[in-house]
Coordinates of all heavy atoms in Angstrom, one line a residue:
R1038 N -17.2 0.4 4.1 CA -17.1 1.1 5.4 C -15.6 1.6 5.7 O -14.7 0.9 5.4 CB -17.5 0.1 6.4 CG -17.6 0.7 7.9 CD -17.9 -0.4 8.9 NE -19.3 -0.7 8.6 CZ -19.9 -1.9 9.2 NH1 -19.1 -2.6 10.1 NH2 -21.2 -2.3 8.9
T1039 N -15.5 2.8 6.0 CA -14.4 3.3 6.5 C -14.2 3.5 8.0 O -15.1 3.4 8.8 CB -14.1 4.7 5.9 OG1 -15.0 5.7 6.4 CG2 -14.3 4.7 4.3
R1040 N -12.9 3.8 8.5 CA -12.8 4.0 9.9 C -11.8 5.1 10.2 O -11.1 5.5 9.2 CB -12.4 2.7 10.6 CG -11.2 2.0 10.1 CD -11.1 0.6 10.6 NE -10.6 -0.3 9.6 CZ -11.3 -1.1 8.9 NH1 -12.7 -1.0 9.0 NH2 -10.9 -2.0 8.1
I1041 N -11.8 5.6 11.4 CA -10.8 6.6 11.8 C -9.5 5.9 11.8 O -9.4 4.8 12.4 CB -11.2 7.2 13.2 CG1 -12.6 7.9 13.1 CG2 -10.2 8.1 13.6 CD1 -13.1 8.2 14.5
P1042 N -8.6 6.5 11.1 CA -7.3 5.7 11.0 C -6.5 5.8 12.3 O -6.3 6.8 12.9 CB -6.5 6.6 10.0 CG -7.1 7.9 9.9 CD -8.6 7.8 10.3
D1043 N -6.3 4.6 12.9 CA -5.6 4.5 14.3 C -4.0 4.4 13.9 O -3.3 4.5 14.8 CB -6.1 3.3 14.9 CG -6.0 2.1 14.3 OD1 -5.6 2.0 13.0 OD2 -6.4 1.0 14.8
M1044 N -3.7 4.2 12.7 CA -2.3 4.1 12.3 C -1.7 5.4 12.0 O -2.3 6.2 11.2 CB -2.2 3.2 11.1 CG -0.8 3.1 10.4 SD -1.0 2.0 9.1 CE -1.0 3.3 7.7
V1045 N -0.7 5.9 12.7 CA 0.0 7.0 12.4 C 1.3 6.7 11.7 O 2.1 5.9 12.2 CB 0.4 7.8 13.7 CG1 1.2 9.0 13.5 CG2 -0.9 8.1 14.5
S1046 N 1.3 7.3 10.5 CA 2.5 6.9 9.7 C 3.7 7.3 10.4 O 4.0 8.4 10.9 CB 2.5 7.6 8.3 OG 1.3 7.3 7.6
W1047 N 4.8 6.4 10.3 CA 6.0 6.6 11.0 C 6.7 7.6 10.1 O 6.6 7.7 8.9 CB 6.9 5.5 11.3 CG 7.0 4.4 10.2 CD1 6.1 3.3 10.0 CD2 8.0 4.4 9.2 NE1 6.6 2.6 8.9 CE2 7.7 3.2 8.4 CE3 9.0 5.1 8.8 CZ2 8.5 2.8 7.3 CZ3 9.9 4.6 7.8 CH2 9.6 3.5 7.0
D1048 N 7.5 8.5 10.7 CA 8.3 9.5 10.0 C 9.5 8.9 9.3 O 10.5 8.6 10.1 CB 8.7 10.6 11.0 CG 9.3 11.8 10.4 OD1 9.4 11.8 9.0 OD2 9.8 12.8 10.9
Y1049 N 9.4 8.6 8.1 CA 10.6 7.8 7.5 C 11.8 8.8 7.2 O 12.9 8.4 7.0 CB 10.2 7.1 6.3 CG 9.5 7.9 5.3 CD1 9.9 8.9 4.3 CD2 8.0 8.0 5.4 CE1 9.2 9.6 3.6 CE2 7.3 8.7 4.5 CZ 7.8 9.6 3.7 OH 7.1 10.4 2.7
N1050 N 11.5 10.1 7.1 CA 12.6 11.2 7.2 C 13.6 10.8 6.0 O 14.9 10.6 6.4 CB 13.4 11.2 8.5 CG 13.2 12.4 9.2 OD1 12.8 13.4 8.5 ND2 13.5 12.6 10.5
F1051 N 13.2 10.6 4.9 CA 13.9 10.3 3.8 C 14.9 11.4 3.4 O 14.4 12.4 2.9 CB 13.3 9.7 2.6 CG 14.2 9.0 1.6 CD1 14.7 7.7 1.7 CD2 14.8 9.8 0.6 CE1 15.5 7.2 1.0 CE2 15.7 9.3 -0.4 CZ 16.1 8.0 -0.1
E1052 N 16.2 11.4 3.7 CA 17.2 12.5 3.4 C 18.2 11.9 2.4 O 18.8 10.7 2.7 CB 17.7 13.0 4.6 CG 16.7 13.8 5.5 CD 17.3 14.2 6.9 OE1 18.5 14.1 7.0 OE2 16.6 14.5 7.8
P1053 N 18.8 12.7 1.7 CA 20.0 12.3 0.8 C 21.0 11.8 1.7 O 21.3 12.5 2.8 CB 20.3 13.5 -0.2 CG 19.1 14.3 -0.1 CD 18.4 14.1 1.3
A1054 N 21.9 11.0 1.3 CA 23.0 10.3 2.0 C 24.2 11.4 1.9 O 25.2 11.2 2.6 CB 23.4 9.0 1.5
G1055 N 24.1 12.2 0.9 CA 25.3 13.1 0.7 C 25.0 14.1 -0.4 O 23.9 14.2 -0.9
S1056 N 26.0 14.8 -0.9 CA 25.7 15.8 -1.9 C 25.5 15.1 -3.2 O 24.7 15.5 -4.2 CB 27.0 16.6 -2.1 OG 28.1 15.8 -2.3
T1057 N 26.0 13.9 -3.5 CA 25.7 13.0 -4.6 C 24.7 11.9 -4.3 O 24.8 11.3 -3.3 CB 27.0 12.3 -5.2 OG1 27.9 13.2 -5.4 CG2 26.7 11.5 -6.4
P1058 N 23.5 11.8 -5.1 CA 22.5 10.9 -4.8 C 23.2 9.4 -4.9 O 23.9 9.2 -5.8 CB 21.4 11.1 -5.6 CG 22.0 12.0 -6.8 CD 23.1 12.6 -6.1
L1059 N 22.8 8.7 -4.0 CA 23.1 7.2 -4.1 C 21.9 6.4 -4.7 O 20.9 6.0 -4.0 CB 23.5 6.5 -2.8 CG 24.8 7.3 -2.1 CD1 24.9 6.7 -0.6 CD2 25.9 7.0 -2.7
S1060 N 22.0 6.4 -5.9 CA 20.7 5.7 -6.6 C 21.1 5.0 -7.8 O 22.1 5.1 -8.5 CB 19.8 6.8 -7.0 OG 20.2 7.6 -8.1
F1061 N 20.2 4.0 -8.3 CA 20.3 3.2 -9.5 C 18.8 3.0 -10.1 O 18.0 2.9 -9.3 CB 21.2 2.2 -9.4 CG 20.7 1.2 -8.4 CD1 20.0 0.0 -8.8 CD2 20.9 1.1 -7.0 CE1 19.6 -1.0 -8.0 CE2 20.6 0.1 -6.0 CZ 19.8 -0.9 -6.4
T1062 N 18.7 2.8 -11.4 CA 17.5 2.5 -11.9 C 17.8 1.2 -12.8 O 18.7 1.0 -13.5 CB 17.0 3.6 -12.9 OG1 16.9 4.9 -12.1 CG2 15.6 3.2 -13.6
V1063 N 17.0 0.2 -12.4 CA 17.2 -1.2 -12.9 C 15.9 -1.5 -13.7 O 14.8 -1.2 -13.3 CB 17.7 -2.0 -11.9 CG1 16.5 -2.2 -10.8 CG2 18.1 -3.6 -12.5
K1064 N 16.0 -2.4 -14.6 CA 14.8 -3.0 -15.4 C 14.0 -3.6 -14.2 O 14.3 -4.5 -13.6 CB 15.1 -3.9 -16.4 CG 15.5 -3.4 -17.7 CD 14.2 -3.2 -18.6 CE 14.5 -2.3 -19.8 NZ 15.1 -3.2 -20.8
S1065 N 12.6 -3.3 -14.2 CA 11.7 -3.9 -13.1 C 11.8 -5.3 -13.0 O 11.8 -6.1 -12.0 CB 10.3 -3.3 -13.3 OG 10.4 -1.9 -13.3
A1066 N 11.7 -6.0 -14.2 CA 11.7 -7.5 -14.3 C 13.0 -8.0 -13.8 O 12.9 -9.1 -13.0 CB 11.4 -7.9 -15.7
A1067 N 14.1 -7.4 -14.0 CA 15.3 -7.9 -13.5 C 15.5 -7.7 -12.0 O 16.0 -8.6 -11.4 CB 16.6 -7.1 -14.2
L1068 N 15.0 -6.7 -11.6 CA 15.0 -6.4 -10.1 C 14.1 -7.4 -9.4 O 14.6 -8.1 -8.4 CB 14.4 -4.9 -9.8 CG 14.3 -4.8 -8.2 CD1 15.6 -4.6 -7.6 CD2 13.6 -3.4 -8.1
K1069 N 12.9 -7.7 -9.9 CA 12.1 -8.8 -9.3 C 12.7 -10.1 -9.3 O 12.7 -10.9 -8.4 CB 10.6 -8.8 -10.0 CG 9.8 -9.7 -9.3 CD 8.4 -9.7 -10.1 CE 7.3 -10.5 -9.3 NZ 7.7 -11.9 -9.0
E1070 N 13.4 -10.4 -10.5 CA 14.0 -11.8 -10.6 C 15.1 -11.9 -9.7 O 15.3 -13.1 -9.1 CB 14.4 -11.8 -12.1 CG 15.0 -13.2 -12.4 CD 15.3 -13.4 -13.9 OE1 14.7 -12.7 -14.8 OE2 16.3 -14.1 -14.2
A1071 N 15.9 -10.9 -9.5 CA 17.0 -10.9 -8.5 C 16.6 -11.1 -7.1 O 17.2 -12.0 -6.4 CB 17.9 -9.6 -8.7
I1072 N 15.6 -10.4 -6.7 CA 15.1 -10.5 -5.3 C 14.5 -11.9 -5.2 O 14.6 -12.6 -4.1 CB 14.1 -9.4 -4.9 CG1 14.8 -8.0 -5.1 CG2 13.4 -9.7 -3.7 CD1 14.0 -6.9 -4.8
D1073 N 13.7 -12.3 -6.1 CA 13.2 -13.8 -6.1 C 14.2 -14.7 -6.0 O 14.1 -15.8 -5.2 CB 12.2 -14.0 -7.3 CG 11.0 -13.3 -7.2 OD1 10.6 -12.8 -6.1 OD2 10.3 -13.3 -8.2
D1074 N 15.4 -14.6 -6.6 CA 16.4 -15.6 -6.6 C 17.1 -15.7 -5.4 O 17.7 -16.7 -5.0 CB 17.5 -15.3 -7.8 CG 16.9 -15.7 -9.2 OD1 15.9 -16.3 -9.2 OD2 17.6 -15.3 -10.1
L1075 N 17.0 -14.6 -4.5 CA 17.7 -14.5 -3.3 C 16.9 -15.1 -2.2 O 17.3 -14.8 -0.9 CB 18.2 -13.0 -3.0 CG 19.3 -12.5 -3.9 CD1 19.3 -10.9 -3.8 CD2 20.7 -13.0 -3.6
E1076 N 15.8 -15.8 -2.4 CA 14.9 -16.1 -1.3 C 15.5 -16.9 -0.3 O 15.9 -18.1 -0.4 CB 13.6 -16.7 -1.9 CG 12.7 -17.2 -0.9 CD 11.4 -17.5 -1.6 OE1 11.3 -17.7 -2.7 OE2 10.5 -17.6 -0.7
W1077 N 15.6 -16.5 0.9 CA 16.0 -17.2 2.1 C 15.0 -16.4 3.2 O 15.4 -15.5 3.9 CB 17.4 -16.9 2.5 CG 18.3 -18.0 1.8 CD1 18.1 -19.3 2.0 CD2 19.4 -17.7 1.0 NE1 19.1 -20.0 1.3 CE2 19.9 -19.1 0.6 CE3 20.0 -16.7 0.5 CZ2 20.9 -19.3 -0.2 CZ3 21.1 -16.8 -0.2 CH2 21.6 -18.1 -0.7
P1078 N 13.9 -17.0 3.3 CA 12.9 -16.3 4.4 C 13.5 -16.3 5.7 O 14.3 -17.1 6.2 CB 11.8 -17.4 4.5 CG 11.9 -18.0 3.1 CD 13.2 -18.1 2.8
G1079 N 13.3 -15.1 6.4 CA 13.9 -14.9 7.7 C 15.4 -14.3 7.6 O 15.9 -13.9 8.6
S1080 N 16.0 -14.4 6.5 CA 17.3 -14.0 6.3 C 17.2 -12.5 6.0 O 16.3 -11.7 5.9 CB 18.0 -14.7 5.3 OG 19.3 -14.3 5.0
S1081 N 18.4 -11.9 5.6 CA 18.5 -10.6 5.3 C 19.4 -10.5 3.9 O 20.1 -11.4 3.7 CB 19.3 -9.7 6.4 OG 20.6 -10.2 6.5
I1082 N 19.1 -9.4 3.2 CA 19.8 -9.2 2.0 C 20.7 -7.9 2.1 O 20.2 -7.0 2.6 CB 18.8 -9.0 0.9 CG1 17.9 -10.3 0.7 CG2 19.5 -8.7 -0.6 CD1 18.5 -11.4 0.5
Q1083 N 22.0 -8.2 1.7 CA 22.9 -7.0 1.7 C 22.9 -6.4 0.4 O 23.1 -7.0 -0.8 CB 24.4 -7.5 2.2 CG 25.4 -6.4 2.1 CD 26.7 -7.1 2.4 OE1 27.0 -8.2 2.2 NE2 27.7 -6.2 2.7
I1084 N 22.8 -5.0 0.4 CA 22.8 -4.4 -0.9 C 24.2 -3.5 -0.9 O 24.3 -2.7 0.1 CB 21.7 -3.4 -1.2 CG1 20.3 -4.3 -1.3 CG2 21.8 -2.6 -2.5 CD1 19.1 -3.5 -1.6
V1085 N 25.0 -3.6 -1.8 CA 26.3 -2.9 -1.9 C 26.4 -2.0 -3.1 O 26.1 -2.5 -4.2 CB 27.4 -3.7 -1.8 CG1 28.7 -2.9 -1.8 CG2 27.3 -4.7 -0.7
L1086 N 26.6 -0.7 -3.0 CA 26.9 0.2 -4.1 C 28.2 0.6 -4.1 O 28.7 0.9 -3.0 CB 26.0 1.5 -4.1 CG 24.5 1.3 -4.8 CD1 23.7 0.4 -4.1 CD2 24.1 2.8 -4.8
Q1087 N 28.9 0.5 -5.2 CA 30.2 1.1 -5.3 C 30.7 1.7 -6.5 O 30.0 1.4 -7.5 CB 31.3 0.0 -4.9 CG 31.3 -1.2 -5.9 CD 32.2 -2.4 -5.4 OE1 32.7 -2.4 -4.3 NE2 32.3 -3.4 -6.3
S1088 N 31.5 2.8 -6.5 CA 31.7 3.6 -7.6 C 32.8 2.9 -8.6 O 32.8 3.2 -9.8 CB 32.0 5.1 -7.2 OG 33.3 4.9 -6.3
V1089 N 33.7 2.1 -8.0 CA 34.8 1.5 -8.8 C 34.8 0.0 -8.5 O 35.2 -0.4 -7.5 CB 36.2 2.2 -8.5 CG1 37.2 1.5 -9.4 CG2 36.1 3.8 -8.6
P1090 N 34.4 -0.9 -9.6 CA 33.8 -0.5 -10.7 C 32.3 -0.2 -10.4 O 31.8 -0.6 -9.4 CB 33.9 -1.7 -11.5 CG 33.9 -2.8 -10.5 CD 34.6 -2.2 -9.3
P1091 N 31.8 0.7 -11.1 CA 30.3 1.1 -10.9 C 29.4 -0.1 -10.8 O 29.2 -0.6 -12.0 CB 30.0 2.2 -12.0 CG 31.0 2.0 -13.0 CD 32.2 1.4 -12.4
S1092 N 28.9 -0.5 -9.8 CA 28.1 -1.7 -9.7 C 27.2 -1.7 -8.5 O 27.4 -1.0 -7.5 CB 29.0 -2.9 -9.6 OG 29.9 -2.8 -8.6
V1093 N 26.2 -2.6 -8.6 CA 25.3 -2.8 -7.5 C 25.3 -4.3 -7.3 O 25.2 -5.1 -8.2 CB 23.8 -2.5 -8.0 CG1 22.9 -2.7 -6.7 CG2 23.7 -1.0 -8.4
T1094 N 25.5 -4.7 -6.0 CA 25.6 -6.1 -5.6 C 24.3 -6.4 -4.6 O 24.3 -5.6 -3.7 CB 26.9 -6.6 -5.0 OG1 27.9 -6.2 -6.0 CG2 26.9 -7.9 -4.6
F1095 N 23.7 -7.5 -4.9 CA 22.7 -8.1 -3.9 C 23.2 -9.3 -3.4 O 23.6 -10.2 -4.2 CB 21.3 -8.3 -4.6 CG 20.6 -7.2 -5.0 CD1 20.9 -6.4 -6.1 CD2 19.4 -6.7 -4.2 CE1 20.1 -5.1 -6.4 CE2 18.7 -5.7 -4.5 CZ 19.0 -4.9 -5.7
R1096 N 23.3 -9.4 -2.2 CA 24.0 -10.8 -1.6 C 23.0 -11.3 -0.5 O 22.7 -10.6 0.4 CB 25.4 -10.3 -0.9 CG 26.1 -11.6 -0.4 CD 27.4 -11.2 0.1 NE 28.4 -10.6 -0.9 CZ 29.1 -9.5 -0.8 NH1 29.0 -8.9 0.4 NH2 29.8 -9.2 -1.7
G1097 N 22.8 -12.6 -0.6 CA 22.0 -13.2 0.3 C 22.7 -14.4 1.0 O 23.6 -15.0 0.5
E1098 N 22.4 -14.7 2.4 CA 23.1 -15.6 3.0 C 22.1 -16.6 3.6 O 21.1 -16.1 4.3 CB 24.0 -15.1 4.1 CG 25.1 -14.2 3.7 CD 25.8 -13.5 4.8 OE1 25.3 -13.6 6.0 OE2 26.6 -12.6 4.5
G1099 N 22.3 -17.9 3.4 CA 21.3 -18.9 3.9 C 22.1 -20.2 4.1 O 23.0 -20.3 5.0
H1100 N 21.7 -21.2 3.4 CA 22.5 -22.4 3.3 C 23.8 -22.2 2.7 O 24.9 -23.1 2.8 CB 21.8 -23.6 2.7 CG 20.3 -23.7 3.3 ND1 20.2 -24.1 4.6 CD2 19.0 -23.7 2.9 CE1 18.9 -24.2 4.9 NE2 18.3 -23.9 3.8
G1101 N 23.9 -21.2 1.8 CA 25.2 -20.8 1.3 C 25.1 -19.3 1.0 O 24.3 -18.7 1.6
D1102 N 25.9 -18.9 0.2 CA 25.9 -17.5 -0.3 C 25.4 -17.3 -1.7 O 25.8 -18.2 -2.5 CB 27.3 -16.7 -0.2 CG 27.6 -16.5 1.4 OD1 26.9 -16.8 2.2 OD2 28.8 -16.2 1.5
L1103 N 24.7 -16.4 -2.1 CA 24.3 -16.1 -3.4 C 24.4 -14.7 -3.6 O 24.0 -13.8 -2.8 CB 22.8 -16.5 -3.7 CG 22.4 -16.3 -5.2 CD1 23.1 -17.1 -6.1 CD2 20.9 -16.6 -5.3
Q1104 N 25.1 -14.4 -4.7 CA 25.4 -12.9 -5.0 C 25.0 -12.5 -6.5 O 25.2 -13.4 -7.3 CB 26.9 -12.6 -4.8 CG 27.4 -11.2 -5.0 CD 28.8 -11.0 -4.7 OE1 29.2 -11.4 -3.5 NE2 29.6 -10.4 -5.6
I1105 N 24.3 -11.5 -6.6 CA 24.0 -11.0 -7.9 C 24.5 -9.6 -8.2 O 24.3 -8.7 -7.4 CB 22.4 -11.0 -8.1 CG1 21.9 -12.4 -7.9 CG2 22.0 -10.5 -9.4 CD1 20.3 -12.6 -7.9
D1106 N 25.3 -9.6 -9.3 CA 25.9 -8.3 -9.6 C 25.3 -7.6 -10.8 O 25.1 -8.2 -11.7 CB 27.4 -8.5 -9.9 CG 28.1 -9.1 -8.7 OD1 28.1 -8.4 -7.6 OD2 28.8 -10.1 -8.8
F1107 N 25.0 -6.4 -10.7 CA 24.6 -5.5 -11.8 C 25.8 -4.6 -12.0 O 26.1 -3.6 -11.3 CB 23.4 -4.6 -11.4 CG 22.1 -5.5 -11.3 CD1 21.5 -5.8 -10.1 CD2 21.4 -6.0 -12.4 CE1 20.5 -6.5 -9.8 CE2 20.4 -6.7 -12.2 CZ 19.8 -6.9 -11.0
M1108 N 26.4 -4.9 -13.2 CA 27.7 -4.0 -13.5 C 27.2 -2.8 -14.6 O 26.5 -3.2 -15.6 CB 28.7 -4.7 -14.2 CG 29.1 -6.0 -13.5 SD 29.7 -5.7 -11.8 CE 31.3 -4.8 -12.3
Y1109 N 27.4 -1.6 -14.2 CA 26.7 -0.5 -14.9 C 27.2 -0.4 -16.3 O 26.4 -0.4 -17.2 CB 27.1 0.8 -14.2 CG 26.4 1.9 -15.0 CD1 25.0 2.0 -15.3 CD2 27.2 3.2 -15.2 CE1 24.6 3.1 -16.0 CE2 26.5 4.3 -15.8 CZ 25.2 4.2 -16.3 OH 24.7 5.2 -16.8
Y1110 N 28.5 -0.5 -16.6 CA 29.0 -0.4 -18.1 C 28.9 -1.6 -18.8 O 28.8 -1.6 -20.0 CB 30.4 0.0 -18.0 CG 30.7 1.5 -17.4 CD1 31.6 1.7 -16.5 CD2 29.9 2.5 -18.0 CE1 31.6 3.0 -15.8 CE2 30.1 3.9 -17.5 CZ 30.8 4.1 -16.4 OH 31.0 5.3 -15.9

Side-chain angles (χ1 to χ4, degrees):
R1038 182 178 297 168
T1039 66
R1040 52 190 146 269
I1041 297 168
D1043 51 1
M1044 173 181 101
V1045 178
S1046 298
W1047 46 271
D1048 183 7
Y1049 48 86
N1050 246 344
F1051 190 86
E1052 299 172 13
S1056 55
T1057 301
L1059 299 172
S1060 69
F1061 60 97
T1062 302
V1063 64
K1064 277 278 176 67
S1065 302
L1068 176 66
K1069 183 180 188 307
E1070 190 176 324
I1072 293 174
D1073 286 350
D1074 285 348
L1075 290 165
E1076 182 167 9
W1077 273 302
S1080 180
S1081 60
I1082 303 298
Q1083 182 183 14
I1084 299 180
V1085 182
L1086 268 69
Q1087 56 187 13
S1088 54
V1089 183
S1092 60
V1093 180
T1094 298
F1095 288 78
R1096 184 181 296 137
E1098 297 170 2
H1100 303 299
D1102 290 350
L1103 180 61
Q1104 182 170 311
I1105 296 170
D1106 296 307
F1107 291 104
M1108 308 300 292
Y1109 181 47
Y1110 292 124

